[in-house]
Amino acid sequence: MHIPFVDLRAQYETLKDEMTEAIRGVLNSAQFVGGEALASFERDFAAYCQVRYARGVANGTDALHLALRALGIGYGDEVITTAHTFIATAAAIVATGARPVFVDIDPDTYTIDPTMIERAVTDRTRAIIAVHLFGQPADMGPIKDIARRRGLYIVEDAAQAHGAEYRGVRTGALGDVACFSFYPAKNLGAYGDGGAVTTNSAAIAERIERLRDHGRTTHYSHAEIGFNSRLDALQAVVLQIKLRHLDEWNTDRRRAAEWYAAELAQSGLKTPFVRTGSTHVYHLYVIATNERDALRIKLDEAGVATGIHYPLPLHLQPALKHLGYRQGDLPCCEAMAARSLSLPMFPELTRDQVRRIAAIVGAVADRDGHKKLWWKSTYASAPLRADGGKELR
Ligand SMILES: *Cc1c(COP(=O)(O)O)cnc(C)c1O
């Protein structure tokens, strides 16, 4: 009866024998850090992303941090990004010493609104981090135009969008440098933490290699103070096997999203909108409703796990208070924080499970949800809370 939010166990069952053999291979080689297992995965992942270089790092947060450093970003610089994302996007900017500058999102796709970027550019702006949120690429065409005109770098936060495409180009190949997370629940997930940086620039790839390995040029010669941020061989072989299944899993996610869309068509709820020319890989299936909190409790009572991504936008996070933002500064981000609800989404989700979830959702349908302009006028009046405003079992 219980429907989990993600089901990593189901996926493991289908890969068990292959994984055991690959892991045993690493154990026998005793080559745990670097080596051929890593190089081989990096080649496969670069080819998959249609770029020249992929470099494994310890996690997605480090991928962002090291990518920004590889671009020379640091104290005194500003980096423009969205406030409707996971904290890591901003944490990586802060870690370089630069300042995050938040702009609002497009109310249909929830990705950064390019028209807002233009207004936020100053003399100090060096880069834009475009987050491909929930599995849908940000609107890279207009973002590239702005970056070209204003001389800015584009960094992709592709942690939620392995394999998604924008006008026929895969994420990872849509900016100067792209950052992936292989956290277990991501579309391509390791059996632990992992991350990667992709780029077509040999200089950036080399700088990442140096930064992830103590700034090393030879074994005990250090050109700069770097970090210890490597993707280990065990995770590399796990990821290499899983990469072969990624497209098929993304197709399964899209199929589940189509089932949801069909079941919820009459509900008046705001279901995901896919930009023309893009493919969405549904890392998360996020709906929006004024009845979010009541609906979440109903689903919980019925044994359906849900999530909120994200209940408190980054510009209102206590950790970023020093930036000086206030409630009301980014209305669309705040409206989504108060209204978004993530339903179960994973490749193995069945038609029957979707039907059961949709029946509960439909019963609490939001009669105002179809008025697509609610976010313009009615954003949260009560202070937003990081826990989404209520406790579940
Ligand atoms: C998961 C995630 C990250 C961070 O990746 P980790 O591997 O957890 O460090 C960064 N940005 C976004 C949008 C994410 O979803």
Side-chain angles (χ1 to χ4, degrees), residues 30-106:
Q31 171 77 263
F32 296 113
V33 174
E36 181 49 29
L38 175 64
S40 176
F41 169 67
E42 288 177 339
R43 279 193 298 274
D44 285 4
F45 194 62
Y48 180 84
C49 294
Q50 306 163 344
V51 291
R52 286 211 194 94
Y53 310 99
R55 293 295 178 262
V57 293
N59 53 66
T61 309
D62 283 4
L64 287 159
H65 176 202
L66 302 193
L68 291 168
R69 282 190 184 260
L71 296 173
I73 289 164
Y75 283 101
D77 296 333
E78 292 177 357
V79 177
I80 296 173
T81 193
T82 165
H84 191 51
T85 177
F86 183 55
I87 187 73
T89 313
I93 300 171
V94 173
T96 68
R99 183 186 175 85
V101 173
F102 296 118
V103 302
D104 216 344
I105 50 170
D106 164 55

Side-chain angles (χ1 to χ4, degrees), residues 59-61 64 85-86 88-89 131 157 159-160 181-183 186 193-194 310:
N59 53 66
T61 309
L64 287 159
T85 177
F86 183 55
T89 313
V131 181
D157 182 339
Q160 302 187 356
S181 164
F182 303 128
Y183 180 75
K186 307 281 167 148
D193 279 307
Y310 296 89

Side-chain angles (χ1 to χ4, degrees), residues 144-159:
K144 278 188 179 171
D145 287 345
I146 297 165
R148 202 175 301 121
R149 257 186 292 115
R150 312 296 293 250
L152 309 174
Y153 290 116
I154 297 177
V155 177
E156 295 174 72
D157 182 339

